[in-house]
Amino acid sequence: MPGFTLPRAARITRITRTHKIAVAVLAAAGATSGLALTSAPDTAQAASAHAPAAVKPVSANGLPAKAADAKTARPVSASVADHIKVTAVAKQHSAQQAANRSTERKAVKDYPNNLDGWIRESLDIMKAKGIPGSYEGLHRNIMRESSGNPNAVNDWDINAINGIPSKGLLQVIQPTFDRYHVSGTANKLTDPVANITAAANYAAHRYGSIDNVNSAY
Protein backbone atom coordinates (compact mmCIF):
# COMPACT_ATOMS: atom_id res chain seq x y z
CA MET A 1 0.00 0.00 0.00
CA PRO A 2 1.51 3.37 -0.98
CA GLY A 3 2.33 5.78 1.92
CA PHE A 4 0.45 9.01 2.36
CA THR A 5 2.00 12.17 3.78
CA LEU A 6 0.25 15.39 4.70
CA PRO A 7 1.43 18.48 3.02
CA ARG A 8 3.80 20.65 5.06
CA ALA A 9 1.21 23.37 5.52
CA ALA A 10 -1.23 20.92 7.04
CA ARG A 11 1.37 19.74 9.51
CA ILE A 12 2.17 23.26 10.60
CA THR A 13 -1.52 23.98 11.07
CA ARG A 14 -1.90 20.88 13.21
CA ILE A 15 1.04 21.74 15.45
CA THR A 16 -0.15 25.26 15.78
CA ARG A 17 -3.58 24.15 16.98
CA THR A 18 -1.99 21.76 19.50
CA HIS A 19 0.17 24.54 20.86
CA LYS A 20 -2.84 26.81 21.19
CA ILE A 21 -4.70 24.20 23.22
CA ALA A 22 -1.69 23.73 25.51
CA VAL A 23 -1.36 27.47 25.95
CA ALA A 24 -5.07 27.74 26.80
CA VAL A 25 -4.74 25.02 29.42
CA LEU A 26 -1.76 26.74 30.98
CA ALA A 27 -3.58 30.03 30.98
CA ALA A 28 -6.57 28.50 32.71
CA ALA A 29 -4.31 26.92 35.36
CA GLY A 30 -2.60 30.24 35.92
CA ALA A 31 -5.90 32.03 36.37
CA THR A 32 -6.98 29.48 38.99
CA SER A 33 -3.74 29.94 40.91
CA GLY A 34 -4.14 33.64 40.71
CA LEU A 35 -7.63 33.45 42.13
CA ALA A 36 -6.37 31.24 44.95
CA LEU A 37 -3.58 33.66 45.79
CA THR A 38 -5.92 36.59 45.57
CA SER A 39 -8.47 35.02 47.93
CA ALA A 40 -5.89 34.01 50.60
CA PRO A 41 -5.54 37.44 52.15
CA ASP A 42 -9.34 37.76 52.38
CA THR A 43 -9.53 34.46 54.26
CA ALA A 44 -6.77 35.54 56.67
CA GLN A 45 -8.48 38.88 57.25
CA ALA A 46 -11.80 37.14 57.99
CA ALA A 47 -10.15 34.80 60.51
CA SER A 48 -8.42 37.73 62.15
CA ALA A 49 -11.67 39.65 62.35
CA HIS A 50 -13.42 36.79 64.17
CA ALA A 51 -10.52 36.00 66.58
CA PRO A 52 -11.19 36.88 70.26
CA ALA A 53 -9.63 40.10 71.43
CA ALA A 54 -6.73 39.77 73.92
CA VAL A 55 -7.67 40.79 77.47
CA LYS A 56 -5.16 43.17 78.97
CA PRO A 57 -4.69 43.46 82.76
CA VAL A 58 -6.16 46.56 84.36
CA SER A 59 -4.83 48.30 87.47
CA ALA A 60 -6.92 49.42 90.46
CA ASN A 61 -7.50 52.90 88.93
CA GLY A 62 -8.89 51.47 85.68
CA LEU A 63 -5.76 52.10 83.61
CA PRO A 64 -3.85 49.34 81.85
CA ALA A 65 -1.62 47.59 84.34
CA LYS A 66 2.08 47.99 84.02
CA ALA A 67 4.29 44.98 83.48
CA ALA A 68 5.81 45.46 86.92
CA ASP A 69 2.35 45.43 88.52
CA ALA A 70 1.39 42.22 86.75
CA LYS A 71 4.58 40.55 87.91
CA THR A 72 4.19 41.59 91.53
CA ALA A 73 0.47 40.75 91.86
CA ARG A 74 0.98 37.06 92.56
CA PRO A 75 3.83 37.42 95.10
CA VAL A 76 1.75 39.94 97.06
CA SER A 77 -1.18 37.50 97.23
CA ALA A 78 1.16 34.70 98.28
CA SER A 79 2.65 36.94 100.97
CA VAL A 80 -0.81 37.68 102.41
CA ALA A 81 -1.67 33.97 102.42
CA ASP A 82 1.60 33.14 104.18
CA HIS A 83 0.92 35.82 106.80
CA ILE A 84 -2.54 34.36 107.46
CA LYS A 85 -1.06 30.86 107.85
CA VAL A 86 1.67 32.09 110.23
CA THR A 87 -0.90 33.97 112.31
CA ALA A 88 -3.15 30.90 112.51
CA VAL A 89 -0.23 28.68 113.57
CA ALA A 90 0.82 31.21 116.22
CA LYS A 91 -2.71 31.36 117.64
CA GLN A 92 -2.92 27.56 117.72
CA HIS A 93 0.45 27.36 119.50
CA SER A 94 -0.63 29.94 122.09
CA ALA A 95 -3.88 28.05 122.70
CA GLN A 96 -1.96 24.79 123.15
CA GLN A 97 0.41 26.42 125.63
CA ALA A 98 -2.52 27.83 127.60
CA ALA A 99 -4.13 24.37 127.69
CA ASN A 100 -0.86 22.81 128.88
CA ARG A 101 -0.52 25.39 131.66
CA SER A 102 -4.09 24.72 132.71
CA THR A 103 -3.42 20.98 132.82
CA GLU A 104 -0.26 21.52 134.86
CA ARG A 105 -2.12 23.70 137.36
CA LYS A 106 -4.76 20.99 137.77
CA ALA A 107 -2.07 18.33 138.23
CA VAL A 108 -0.50 20.25 141.15
CA LYS A 109 -2.62 19.87 144.28
CA ASP A 110 -2.91 22.56 146.88
CA TYR A 111 -2.59 21.21 150.43
CA PRO A 112 -3.57 23.27 153.46
CA ASN A 113 -0.68 24.13 155.78
CA ASN A 114 -2.01 22.11 158.72
CA LEU A 115 -1.93 18.57 160.05
CA ASP A 116 -4.63 17.37 157.65
CA GLY A 117 -2.79 18.86 154.68
CA TRP A 118 0.58 17.43 155.74
CA ILE A 119 -0.87 13.94 156.13
CA ARG A 120 -2.66 14.07 152.77
CA GLU A 121 0.43 15.31 150.95
CA SER A 122 2.52 12.60 152.59
CA LEU A 123 0.00 9.95 151.57
CA ASP A 124 0.18 11.07 147.92
CA ILE A 125 3.99 10.87 147.99
CA MET A 126 3.86 7.50 149.73
CA LYS A 127 1.45 6.21 147.08
CA ALA A 128 3.74 7.38 144.29
CA LYS A 129 6.75 5.72 145.98
CA GLY A 130 4.95 2.51 146.90
CA ILE A 131 5.12 3.09 150.66
CA PRO A 132 2.15 1.54 152.54
CA GLY A 133 0.11 3.44 155.11
CA SER A 134 -3.27 5.01 155.71
CA TYR A 135 -4.56 8.34 156.96
CA GLU A 136 -5.77 6.67 160.15
CA GLY A 137 -2.43 4.99 160.84
CA LEU A 138 -0.48 8.22 160.31
CA HIS A 139 -2.84 10.39 162.33
CA ARG A 140 -3.01 7.94 165.25
CA ASN A 141 0.77 7.72 165.62
CA ILE A 142 1.29 11.44 165.13
CA MET A 143 -1.10 12.30 167.95
CA ARG A 144 0.61 9.82 170.29
CA GLU A 145 4.16 10.93 169.46
CA SER A 146 3.84 14.74 169.18
CA SER A 147 0.17 15.77 169.55
CA GLY A 148 0.46 17.23 166.06
CA ASN A 149 3.33 19.64 166.82
CA PRO A 150 5.93 19.57 164.00
CA ASN A 151 8.54 21.22 166.26
CA ALA A 152 8.19 18.75 169.14
CA VAL A 153 11.52 17.51 170.58
CA ASN A 154 12.08 14.65 173.03
CA ASP A 155 14.86 15.71 175.40
CA TRP A 156 14.68 12.99 178.01
CA ASP A 157 14.83 9.47 176.37
CA ILE A 158 17.90 7.44 175.55
CA ASN A 159 18.25 9.10 172.16
CA ALA A 160 18.36 12.50 173.78
CA ILE A 161 20.94 11.23 176.28
CA ASN A 162 23.03 10.01 173.32
CA GLY A 163 22.78 13.45 171.69
CA ILE A 164 20.40 12.53 168.92
CA PRO A 165 16.95 13.52 170.21
CA SER A 166 13.75 12.49 168.43
CA LYS A 167 12.08 15.37 166.61
CA GLY A 168 9.02 16.24 164.57
CA LEU A 169 5.50 14.90 164.14
CA LEU A 170 6.54 11.24 164.32
CA GLN A 171 9.58 11.74 166.57
CA VAL A 172 12.35 10.61 164.21
CA ILE A 173 16.07 10.78 165.07
CA GLN A 174 18.47 12.28 162.51
CA PRO A 175 20.26 9.02 161.49
CA THR A 176 16.90 7.33 160.79
CA PHE A 177 15.71 10.34 158.82
CA ASP A 178 18.90 10.41 156.75
CA ARG A 179 18.58 6.70 155.92
CA TYR A 180 14.87 6.64 155.08
CA HIS A 181 14.44 10.14 153.65
CA VAL A 182 12.15 10.06 150.62
CA SER A 183 13.27 11.96 147.53
CA GLY A 184 10.96 14.77 146.55
CA THR A 185 10.53 15.96 150.14
CA ALA A 186 12.53 18.59 152.02
CA ASN A 187 15.85 17.40 153.40
CA LYS A 188 14.98 18.73 156.86
CA LEU A 189 14.09 16.56 159.86
CA THR A 190 11.40 18.85 161.25
CA ASP A 191 9.68 19.54 157.92
CA PRO A 192 6.17 18.08 158.48
CA VAL A 193 5.81 16.22 155.16
CA ALA A 194 9.43 15.04 155.09
CA ASN A 195 9.18 13.79 158.71
CA ILE A 196 5.94 11.89 158.14
CA THR A 197 7.11 10.29 154.89
CA ALA A 198 10.51 9.24 156.26
CA ALA A 199 8.87 7.75 159.38
CA ALA A 200 6.34 5.84 157.25
CA ASN A 201 9.17 4.54 155.06
CA TYR A 202 11.10 3.36 158.14
CA ALA A 203 7.99 1.71 159.63
CA ALA A 204 7.28 -0.06 156.32
CA HIS A 205 10.77 -1.60 156.33
CA ARG A 206 10.63 -2.65 160.00
CA TYR A 207 6.93 -3.33 160.67
CA GLY A 208 5.39 -3.68 157.23
CA SER A 209 3.40 -0.44 157.55
CA ILE A 210 2.92 2.54 159.85
CA ASP A 211 -0.56 1.13 160.39
CA ASN A 212 1.03 -1.73 162.38
CA VAL A 213 2.69 0.67 164.85
CA ASN A 214 0.75 1.21 168.10
CA SER A 215 3.48 2.29 170.52
CA ALA A 216 7.03 3.60 170.58
CA TYR A 217 8.86 2.28 167.56
Side-chain angles (χ1 to χ4, degrees):
M1 181 176 178
F4 178 76
T5 304
L6 289 173
R8 186 168 182 271
R11 290 200 302 274
I12 291 172
T13 301
R14 193 173 188 180
I15 293 171
T16 300
R17 287 178 180 173
T18 302
H19 284 177
K20 287 180 178 179
I21 292 170
V23 170
V25 171
L26 290 174
T32 303
S33 299
L35 290 173
L37 292 173
T38 302
S39 63
D42 295 337
T43 304
Q45 290 176 358
S48 176
H50 291 285
V55 178
K56 296 182 179 180
V58 178
S59 64
N61 57 11
L63 298 176
K66 296 180 180 179
D69 295 337
K71 291 179 180 179
T72 58
R74 187 171 183 179
V76 169
S77 299
S79 177
V80 172
D82 292 341
H83 177 71
I84 293 173
K85 289 180 181 179
V86 170
T87 303
V89 171
K91 288 183 178 179
Q92 183 178 6
H93 181 66
S94 298
Q96 185 62 45
Q97 285 184 327
N100 291 340
R101 287 193 296 270
S102 178
T103 302
E104 289 173 359
R105 284 194 296 268
K106 291 180 180 178
V108 178
K109 290 184 179 180
D110 291 329
Y111 302 95
N113 189 28
N114 55 32
L115 182 58
D116 178 73
W118 302 329
I119 293 175
R120 293 187 184 282
E121 185 174 356
S122 296
L123 284 171
D124 285 342
I125 296 172
M126 290 163 58
K127 182 179 180 180
K129 301 292 185 178
I131 301 171
S134 67
Y135 187 100
E136 186 278 329
L138 291 174
H139 187 270
R140 172 167 42 84
N141 282 284
I142 288 172
M143 296 309 292
R144 186 190 66 250
E145 295 291 332
S146 66
S147 300
N149 179 9
N151 296 313
V153 178
N154 185 324
D155 56 4
W156 56 267
D157 67 2
I158 187 62
N159 292 318
I161 295 173
N162 291 331
I164 48 173
S166 303
K167 298 180 180 181
L169 291 172
L170 281 170
Q171 293 293 283
V172 182
I173 60 175
Q174 190 66 50
T176 301
F177 178 83
D178 293 339
R179 182 175 180 182
Y180 293 98
H181 173 254
V182 177
S183 61
T185 64
N187 193 17
K188 182 180 178 182
L189 177 59
T190 56
D191 177 83
V193 175
N195 187 279
I196 293 173
T197 313
N201 191 26
Y202 162 73
H205 281 81
R206 185 167 181 179
Y207 303 102
S209 172
I210 190 69
D211 294 348
N212 298 329
V213 176
N214 295 295
S215 61
Y217 62 111

